[in-house]
Amino acid sequence: MQDSYSVNLGFLREALVKIAIREGWQYKYAKFGKQGRSTQSLFVHSINTFSLAQILSKLLFNLSPQESLLSSVAAFFHDYQKANEKWQRAAIDFIEGRSTSNRDFAHDSGSLAMLAELRRMLEKVDVLAGTDLASQSERILRIVVYTHDAINSAAALKRKQEVGSLDTLTKVVRLCDSIASIKNAEDIKTKERDPDIPSGKQVVFEHHSVSVIRGVISSFLNEAAVELMRELGYTPLLHFGSSTAYIRIGEGITLKNPKERMKQLLLEQFRKFQDSDIYGRGMVKAVVGPLPATKWPAIHLIREDDVRVILGDISSQPFANKDEAFGKQYFEESAEKDAKKGDSGNVDALRHFVKVTRSTSQDVIIAAMVSDFNLLVYVADFVKRYSELVECANMSNEYTKNVNSWLSKDLGDFILDDIKGISHTTPASERVRVVEKLWRIGNGDLHKSADRREQILQNSIRLLVRIIKEYRDFAPPLIEDEVVTELLSDIQYIPVNLSSGNDVRELSTKISNRYQQGKSSADRLCSFCSLTSIADAPAGLFGDGSEKFSNTLQGGVRIGSKRKAQVCNLCMLEGTLRAFFFGSPPFGTMLLLPDLSLSPDGFRIWSNAVKDTIRSEHIGLGIGRSWNMLKVYEHLSSGKTLDSSSELMRMLMPTKGEIAALAEHLSQLREFPDEVGYTALLESGVPESFETLARAHIENLIEIDPHIMESFEPKYRSQRSSCFTASHVITFLKDAPSESKDEAPSTSALRLYLMALVLSDIFHARVVFINGYQPFLQTAIEGMVSVDMPAPAEIALTNLGFGHTINLHEMPSALRRLSSLIRIGMTYTKGLGKDRLLRLSSMNRGAILRRVETEGGTKMKSREKQLLLALLENMPVKAGDKWTTEVI
Amino acid sequence: MVIRMEKESELASSDEIRKTRFAVTTALIRYLETYKPAQTGESKHALMGPVGKLLSRITTTGDINWEAVKGYVLSVHKNQQAPRGVSSDAATRLDEATASLEKLRSLLPPTKWLKTVEDIDDEVFFGLYKENLVGQRRGIQKKFQTWLKSNVSLEDINALLPENEQYKSYDDIDDPFSVSTKLEDLTERFWEDYKKSKKEGTK
């Protein structure tokens, strides 16, 4: 047995988490309020108190490593007596508004039974972490018991007789519990006079809060604010959905210009994002715009090195690689257009083109011409966009001169004016003339070279890199000053002055003017967040939301042109950034908020969960994949839970196809399997072949070096993508989680609800689904999940026995019922049609059984029947019957 | 003329109705334990036996002659039973079931009665289907345990399982549908042998 004080803290943390999960603490309450408001699970509360003890025992109490460890373990178990059934029953009765006379909230017993209970758990921790904590059970119990106030003097006397007098470490645990129990970040201020704070220490508690969660930019803002607070000498203690509580010991650090520093920190966040793999993966679609309709909406984000990647990607697209059949079709279509106009301009030009190129195949050369022209459209648009930017700075003449010389040198016999005429709508006759110049027919005859496209590509890259190098200063900055100022105004509170007198004055004048002028169609507000709008909401970024009703719309008018939804700078920036996650606007956002609060150790659990869930998708094992979700639903319906992300990863078994795809990728990069670098995550044998390496990576036993995985193209596209801070996780959903395209929206809403429950279970967090693009204002929600459901889906949930909200203790029953319904719908009752989940929810289980029989149930195999029976057992006896709220 | 509509007060709480409904279902299933049909099957018709006839007889908002219903049901029971006849236990259990049905009817307004009979029909069917499958499952479990005893040692089985999932004896081992996926190879071998022995049996 290892000495408990030399134990690896990571192992100890993992062991404690495992024990708490096994004890079912994730569904038990530590904190609760009426109707499930401000509740917190025993699991999260224990982790948070443990984490605070880790920080404060060193920072505030200067404890030795041994005592620090002991106080942390005691902090973890400080509320273990709340896990007993009586306490939980009393809590549930209170939440559900039932008045009972025999509520028993005592959890400070020092009895022998409680000692045995604590020892039992500590022994389990010892087995997993290699510690020797069980031998210190008596002391830990003594610390724990005194953490709570005795209800009367008799109880105090009794516990003194049972466990002895107060332990010196009790005050550490008591202070940590007191801090871990705050419900809002601003409540931390009330702890400054806590009697457990050692005398003589100058302690300052502070917080920062953000007023709205817009999405990615709010994550950047939050991260930057935490970093600024660190620079001011504060240590983060607890994160809330949009705020963070901090502690500072001793004198603070003064920054000369905090606003300027905050700006720099924000820029650092953006640069970090530019270096992330999300940026790399989403760059082409995000900066170029939806292909093949190009406008380079985020041209200012492109760095010199990005040009190669972007143009390389465009050059490999199907529209830039047309085949012979297309050449034939293109000629025929051009002839038709000529016939309609009554001339032969296009056909003549094409024939002439074939003649001058001396090509043996008309169709092949036309296809090559169109392909190169399509690539050139993107290059031309880039040159045009920069031309517009330079024009604003009265530098047009110089730009024209330089670009003309670069064009003739690198690309073809062009001048800038020729470039301006190139677009997707250019007729065939014009296209031919442009490509003749591009190929330098009669002069260089590029079309005769085997590497024609490669030469054009390299020359285009050279041209665009030159333009960026020379004229980058004329492009808008990464984020404009005005945007930064607006973003900073999202900070509701931070203990440092970020606004100068001028800023405040400007803002007040702006508000006053807006008020005096009243509402007008010329000066409209952002449809999403009510800041001053700057433009129409582009559909490419915001999807259907951009053409929604706006408050200046007159009754009966059609939506369009001037009546489009408006966006402000911040929403526009948010939309631009989201485009990196998906080229098209996301279907919706899952926002994961802490279960009241999140400590640094809780954050570690989140990070692993995010990593696992993203990784599971990255390798093609998306949560929406029905073939994998069958296992998940069966797992949940059998009463088991998904209490950790690694559990989910273990369940999502890879198919042979995925293993083969990854194995092939590895074999292309390395000659032998032993040349593939990896980190072992779990104990496993040494993989001997590319296949075993691939399988071990997918099954989460090893992690292959990220740089090897970087270029791996997964078989399936990712369904979701996430970005996260310690205060919240944002997960974008590309599409509705439907089984098929014609599925009723209510049916996919039910699946979405289950997804929210699963995420809540994995992350031990609260989950809010935000439809389309909307900023999120209120971070306190009732229950564990909040998903706006269409009316039929609401009724289906009521039929399943779901109440208005799902509280923590109802999670296992809710997961079991909903996953059973969806699992039945997936296999047994397909004949019920596209809204089968709704219909199933209104049926008794005997009626479902009858229905399955009519769909050929008598031919079912024994295993299928057993599974159906197990699934039906979870369904209400009669539609609408509630589940019994049993304490786990 | 003024027509005044007043809401009638509920005859019983929903909780009481649910409990009584549950008692009815249990009593009907208990009654069916005494019924041994000449031909067995898994269809709803086969499983429900005389209870199917009983429920269709009482699907009415009019008066019900409970004694007549009982006589009719016992007659069906007698004719379909092999060997023909009805035990005194069956008659007693049917008495109990109809008494609880009568009680349930007295708690419900006529409009709710028809839907409730339909619900009871579903619940009884589900209960019988479950019992039937659980019986089959127990049979398979026994066969699985016997097969394991003659083919694999308990140590070898436990070696495949983590410590907290290990078995103390063969009798503790679940049916092949419910055992850990770590025993997948063993269950596959069992099913192969099971199918073989079934084929040989039919020859």
Side-chain angles (χ1 to χ4, degrees):
Chain A
M1 189 71 69
Q2 204 180 341
D3 172 11
S4 66
Y5 303 122
S6 63
V7 71
N8 178 320
L9 199 64
F11 288 163
L12 176 65
R13 192 190 308 114
E14 263 180 44
L16 292 170
V17 165
K18 269 188 192 158
I19 298 301
I21 296 277
R22 276 189 211 163
E23 295 289 321
W25 287 11
Q26 69 275 34
Y27 303 124
K28 290 183 176 177
Y29 292 100
K31 304 282 161 204
F32 58 90
K34 271 184 187 167
Q35 295 169 335
R37 278 193 288 264
S38 303
T39 63
Q40 189 173 45
S41 74
L42 186 53
F43 175 79
V44 171
H45 184 61
S46 302
I47 296 272
N48 286 355
T49 319
F50 168 84
S51 199
L52 291 179
Q54 281 287 315
I55 298 168
L56 297 185
S57 59
K58 288 164 202 149
L59 208 65
L60 199 56
F61 293 93
N62 303 326
L63 296 184
S64 67
Q66 291 91 328
E67 291 208 310
S68 165
L69 182 85
L70 201 62
S71 59
S72 304
V73 172
F76 188 84
F77 287 104
H78 79 281
D79 269 348
Y80 80 101
Q81 295 184 23
K82 283 184 179 175
N84 77 49
E85 196 183 330
K86 240 181 172 180
W87 198 96
Q88 290 298 319
R89 175 49 60 198
I92 293 169
D93 282 344
F94 183 85
I95 291 167
E96 293 180 348
R98 272 191 298 273
S99 58
T100 52
S101 53
N102 59 342
R103 277 184 192 157
D104 184 1
F105 290 116
H107 55 289
D108 61 343
S109 165
S111 68
L112 285 175
M114 281 297 123
L115 176 64
E117 177 68 10
L118 180 63
R119 184 174 289 130
R120 180 183 66 80
M121 288 188 282
L122 289 172
E123 278 168 358
K124 285 184 181 173
V125 175
D126 288 343
V127 171
L128 292 171
T131 46
D132 187 18
L133 294 164
S135 65
Q136 306 202 50
S137 307
E138 281 89 357
R139 186 170 181 205
I140 295 175
L141 182 67
R142 192 161 73 240
I143 301 169
V144 165
V145 161
Y146 280 102
T147 308
H148 314 286
D149 295 332
I151 46 168
N152 53 42
S153 54
L157 186 65
K158 190 182 170 199
R159 74 180 183 188
K160 194 172 181 184
Q161 284 166 348
E162 283 171 339
V163 296
S165 54
L166 193 81
D167 192 283
T168 47
L169 294 182
T170 296
K171 57 183 179 181
V172 182
V173 178
R174 204 161 47 199
L175 179 65
C176 295
D177 181 26
S178 163
I179 294 174
S181 301
I182 58 171
K183 292 179 177 174
N184 301 299
E186 55 263 39
D187 293 348
I188 194 80
K189 291 289 277 179
T190 61
K191 302 294 165 193
E192 265 175 19
R193 287 183 189 168
D194 195 296
D196 286 319
I197 293 176
S199 55
K201 288 268 182 187
Q202 190 192 348
V203 179
V204 180
F205 288 109
E206 265 302 352
H207 78 282
H208 95 258
S209 61
V210 174
S211 60
V212 55
I213 301 175
R214 293 174 191 276
V216 186
I217 51 168
S218 301
S219 300
F220 291 173
L221 181 67
N222 206 39
E223 285 285 278
V226 172
E227 203 45 51
L228 185 75
M229 288 296 280
R230 278 188 212 276
E231 291 185 5
L232 290 167
Y234 291 93
T235 307
L237 291 179
L238 288 173
H239 301 279
F240 296 77
S242 55
S243 53
T244 302
Y246 304 84
I247 187 172
R248 195 189 78 208
I249 315 283
E251 287 296 323
I253 298 157
T254 316
L255 293 175
K256 265 188 187 169
N257 189 346
K259 187 181 175 184
E260 201 46 49
R261 182 62 193 139
M262 187 67 187
K263 273 186 187 174
Q264 285 168 0
L265 289 169
L266 264 173
L267 275 175
E268 275 173 29
Q269 289 295 324
F270 277 88
R271 291 212 176 92
K272 224 160 65 181
F273 178 66
Q274 280 192 307
D275 293 332
S276 71
D277 59 335
I278 289 170
Y279 187 89
R281 280 206 307 270
M283 183 173 61
V284 177
K285 283 183 183 169
V287 298
V288 179
L291 297 171
T294 163
K295 280 296 164 210
W296 298 87
I299 203 164
H300 58 293
L301 297 179
I302 302 168
R303 298 162 295 185
E304 286 166 33
D305 293 344
D306 298 336
V307 173
R308 183 172 299 280
V309 182
I310 296 167
L311 283 189
D313 192 284
I314 293 171
S315 172
S316 66
Q317 295 287 333
F319 62 79
N321 294 283
K322 299 291 186 188
D323 59 7
E324 192 177 348
F326 176 84
K328 190 177 177 195
Q329 187 192 341
Y330 188 80
F331 185 84
E332 286 165 3
E333 282 172 8
S334 301
E336 273 174 34
K337 279 180 194 163
D338 279 353
K340 272 184 196 166
K341 281 198 287 181
D343 67 18
S344 59
N346 288 326
V347 171
D348 289 346
L350 286 170
R351 283 200 181 117
H352 169 75
F353 181 71
V354 176
K355 196 177 162 190
V356 294
T357 53
R358 293 179 191 171
S359 171
T360 50
S361 166
Q362 174 178 301
D363 298 338
V364 171
I365 202 73
I366 290 177
M369 181 274 290
V370 175
S371 303
D372 285 357
F373 184 85
N374 284 348
L375 172 65
L376 196 64
V377 171
Y378 288 89
V379 179
D381 269 345
F382 185 96
V383 177
K384 278 187 264 178
R385 283 283 286 124
Y386 253 94
S387 168
E388 286 162 17
L389 296 170
V390 169
E391 205 175 307
C392 298
N394 293 326
M395 296 284 287
S396 288
N397 287 345
E398 188 201 307
Y399 180 77
T400 310
K401 195 178 147 198
N402 281 341
V403 172
N404 281 347
S405 92
W406 295 334
L407 275 172
S408 60
K409 194 176 168 200
D410 285 335
L411 209 56
D413 301 325
F414 297 119
I415 56 165
L416 193 57
D417 284 346
D418 297 330
I419 288 282
K420 284 179 180 168
I422 297 173
S423 80
H424 279 298
T425 51
T426 307
S429 51
E430 277 303 311
R431 287 181 180 219
V432 164
R433 271 188 274 282
V434 169
V435 175
E436 272 180 33
K437 285 181 182 175
L438 179 70
W439 287 355
R440 297 180 201 266
I441 291 174
N443 189 10
D445 285 343
L446 201 57
H447 61 290
K448 287 180 181 163
S449 318
D451 62 345
R452 178 198 91 245
R453 168 56 67 82
E454 186 56 28
Q455 281 191 49
I456 295 172
L457 183 63
Q458 292 308 327
N459 291 340
S460 304
I461 292 169
R462 207 174 303 130
L463 173 72
L464 301 200
V465 168
R466 275 180 172 172
I467 292 177
I468 293 179
K469 247 184 199 168
E470 206 68 36
Y471 295 101
R472 172 184 285 146
D473 294 345
F474 301 101
L478 201 54
I479 35 172
E480 287 183 67
D481 260 13
E482 202 185 328
V483 180
V484 175
T485 311
E486 280 180 23
L487 191 53
L488 290 185
S489 68
D490 273 357
I491 295 182
Q492 200 169 21
Y493 175 78
I494 196 161
V496 62
N497 195 4
L498 290 181
S499 316
S500 65
N502 270 347
D503 292 337
V504 176
R505 226 169 292 130
E506 265 175 35
L507 190 68
S508 118
T509 317
K510 216 170 169 182
I511 293 169
S512 155
N513 286 345
R514 197 194 297 162
Y515 181 76
Q516 281 169 5
Q517 285 161 7
K519 194 158 66 176
S520 77
S521 59
D523 186 19
R524 284 160 55 189
L525 302 182
C526 173
S527 307
F528 301 112
C529 70
S530 301
L531 286 179
T532 308
S533 68
I534 52 148
D536 285 354
L541 294 182
F542 298 97
D544 292 341
S546 65
E547 296 201 348
K548 272 183 188 159
F549 165 82
S550 77
N551 59 1
T552 53
L553 203 64
Q554 289 164 13
V557 297
R558 287 171 70 109
I559 298 175
S561 64
K562 284 182 183 173
R563 299 183 197 94
K564 272 193 165 187
Q566 297 290 297
V567 280
C568 63
N569 266 324
L570 294 183
C571 291
M572 182 66 105
L573 180 60
E574 174 64 23
T576 309
L577 291 177
R578 284 192 191 199
F580 282 89
F581 291 87
F582 297 115
S584 53
F587 155 72
T589 310
M590 286 277 191
L591 178 67
L592 277 69
L593 299 164
D595 184 16
L596 204 64
S597 55
L598 191 80
S599 59
D601 280 299
F603 178 62
R604 278 191 192 99
I605 297 175
W606 267 24
S607 315
N608 290 337
V610 170
K611 203 172 117 194
D612 281 348
T613 44
I614 289 176
R615 200 178 135 183
S616 70
E617 288 156 26
H618 194 62
I619 51 176
L621 303 170
I623 201 158
R625 304 274 156 214
S626 58
W627 47 267
N628 246 323
M629 289 317 283
L630 281 175
K631 282 181 198 160
V632 177
Y633 297 147
E634 281 169 24
H635 176 89
L636 292 169
S637 60
S638 65
K640 293 171 193 158
T641 51
L642 281 172
D643 30 51
S644 70
S645 54
S646 50
E647 178 70 37
L648 179 70
M649 280 292 283
R650 266 196 296 280
M651 291 189 58
L652 300 177
M653 296 296 280
T655 61
K656 284 177 188 168
E658 270 133 16
I659 295 170
L662 180 55
E664 197 189 327
H665 169 74
L666 296 175
S667 64
Q668 280 168 0
L669 292 184
R670 298 285 185 272
E671 199 175 345
F672 300 106
D674 57 8
E675 290 170 2
V676 178
Y678 65 85
T679 317
L681 300 175
L682 288 174
E683 266 183 50
S684 64
V686 178
E688 289 168 350
S689 64
F690 286 119
E691 279 74 22
T692 48
L693 270 166
R695 177 182 282 279
H697 177 82
I698 293 172
E699 287 182 348
N700 214 19
L701 300 171
I702 63 167
E703 189 172 328
I704 294 174
D705 286 351
H707 68 271
I708 299 180
M709 294 301 294
E710 240 168 42
S711 52
F712 177 57
E713 287 286 333
K715 198 174 168 190
Y716 297 102
R717 300 186 78 88
S718 173
Q719 276 288 308
R720 302 182 300 154
S721 208
S722 309
C723 78
F724 73 109
T725 71
S727 292
H728 54 257
V729 179
I730 296 165
T731 292
F732 300 116
L733 273 85
K734 188 182 177 193
D735 302 307
S738 315
E739 247 196 342
S740 59
K741 274 183 186 170
D742 64 344
E743 199 170 61
S746 297
T747 302
S748 60
L750 286 173
R751 213 170 274 126
L752 188 73
Y753 199 92
L754 179 60
M755 190 191 277
L757 285 174
V758 169
L759 286 175
S760 169
D761 205 23
I762 292 172
F763 282 81
H764 307 285
R766 290 166 196 265
V767 179
V768 185
F769 176 71
I770 304 156
N771 219 330
Y773 179 93
Q774 292 292 333
F776 190 70
L777 286 166
Q778 193 194 353
T779 52
I781 63 162
E782 276 182 29
M784 295 308 289
V785 298
S786 166
V787 182
D788 276 340
M789 305 287 277
E794 286 270 13
I795 294 167
L797 287 180
T798 313
N799 284 338
L800 288 175
F802 283 54
H804 174 60
T805 55
I806 295 296
N807 289 317
L808 188 67
H809 65 282
E810 296 171 311
M811 284 282 288
S813 307
L815 278 163
R816 208 178 303 169
R817 273 203 180 168
L818 195 50
S819 56
S820 296
L821 174 88
I822 292 173
R823 179 67 187 82
I824 293 170
M826 282 172 95
T827 314
Y828 295 97
T829 52
K830 288 204 164 166
L832 275 175
K834 60 183 183 180
D835 59 350
R836 58 181 172 275
L837 293 189
L838 303 184
R839 295 175 67 181
L840 279 173
S841 69
S842 66
M843 290 159 79
N844 300 330
R845 50 195 189 179
I848 297 174
L849 205 51
R850 269 192 283 129
R851 174 71 213 186
V852 176
E853 278 214 325
T854 57
E855 281 196 27
T858 45
K859 288 175 196 160
M860 273 195 298
K861 287 181 183 163
S862 188
R863 181 180 281 273
E864 287 172 329
K865 283 182 194 167
Q866 300 285 357
L867 176 64
L868 175 65
L869 183 70
L871 295 169
L872 287 172
E873 287 261 46
N874 299 325
M875 300 293 281
V877 174
K878 183 173 171 288
D881 276 0
K882 297 254 179 247
W883 51 67
T884 46
T885 48
E886 284 166 19
V887 177
I888 297 162
Chain B
M1 190 176 71
V2 177
I3 299 172
R4 216 174 135 186
M5 294 182 78
E6 280 182 3
K7 198 187 168 194
E8 267 187 50
S9 59
E10 295 278 338
L11 298 167
S13 70
S14 57
D15 206 36
E16 194 182 347
I17 292 169
R18 196 182 304 123
K19 276 181 190 157
T20 317
R21 207 182 66 217
F22 179 71
V24 168
T25 315
T26 318
L28 286 171
I29 293 173
R30 203 166 157 264
Y31 157 66
L32 278 174
E33 282 167 12
T34 64
Y35 171 65
K36 304 279 178 262
Q39 285 180 327
T40 55
E42 280 184 3
S43 68
K44 181 170 184 274
H45 183 77
L47 287 171
M48 297 284 280
V51 169
K53 303 285 180 193
L54 186 158
L55 294 174
S56 60
R57 268 292 171 105
I58 60 170
T59 312
T60 170
T61 50
D63 288 339
I64 298 171
N65 182 341
W66 291 99
E67 291 306 312
V69 170
K70 275 193 269 181
Y72 170 66
V73 171
L74 286 175
S75 136
V76 173
H77 187 146
K78 192 184 86 184
N79 292 333
Q80 289 180 355
Q81 173 102 353
R84 283 161 68 98
V86 179
S87 66
S88 61
D89 188 28
T92 317
R93 290 188 187 190
L94 181 61
D95 270 344
E96 286 166 10
T98 45
S100 51
L101 270 167
E102 212 174 336
K103 187 189 168 194
L104 180 63
R105 192 167 194 232
S106 70
L107 300 178
L108 293 168
T111 44
K112 278 195 176 171
W113 172 245
L114 298 182
K115 177 75 179 80
T116 307
V117 173
E118 200 183 303
D119 289 343
I120 292 169
D121 186 56
D122 286 338
E123 282 169 44
V124 173
F125 173 48
F126 179 76
L128 295 168
Y129 189 88
K130 183 179 156 186
E131 273 194 2
N132 189 36
L133 272 189
V134 170
Q136 284 176 13
R137 203 165 177 154
R138 269 192 218 117
I140 292 285
Q141 184 183 8
K142 268 267 166 284
K143 281 179 185 151
F144 185 50
Q145 288 169 350
T146 317
W147 181 87
L148 286 172
K149 269 180 203 167
S150 51
N151 289 289
V152 200
S153 74
L154 196 62
E155 289 76 43
D156 287 347
I157 297 170
N158 282 335
L160 297 169
L161 298 167
E163 209 174 328
N164 57 342
E165 288 179 28
Q166 289 180 354
Y167 300 107
K168 283 182 184 155
S169 80
Y170 284 103
D171 296 338
D172 297 338
I173 300 175
D174 273 334
D175 61 77
F177 306 111
S178 319
V179 290
S180 160
T181 48
K182 295 186 176 73
L183 301 183
E184 216 163 33
D185 289 345
L186 286 178
T187 51
E188 269 176 26
R189 273 172 57 201
F190 164 72
W191 285 121
E192 274 171 25
D193 286 3
Y194 178 75
K195 277 178 204 161
K196 260 187 225 166
S197 64
K198 238 185 157 184
K199 265 187 191 170
E200 280 161 15
T202 49
K203 277 175 194 169

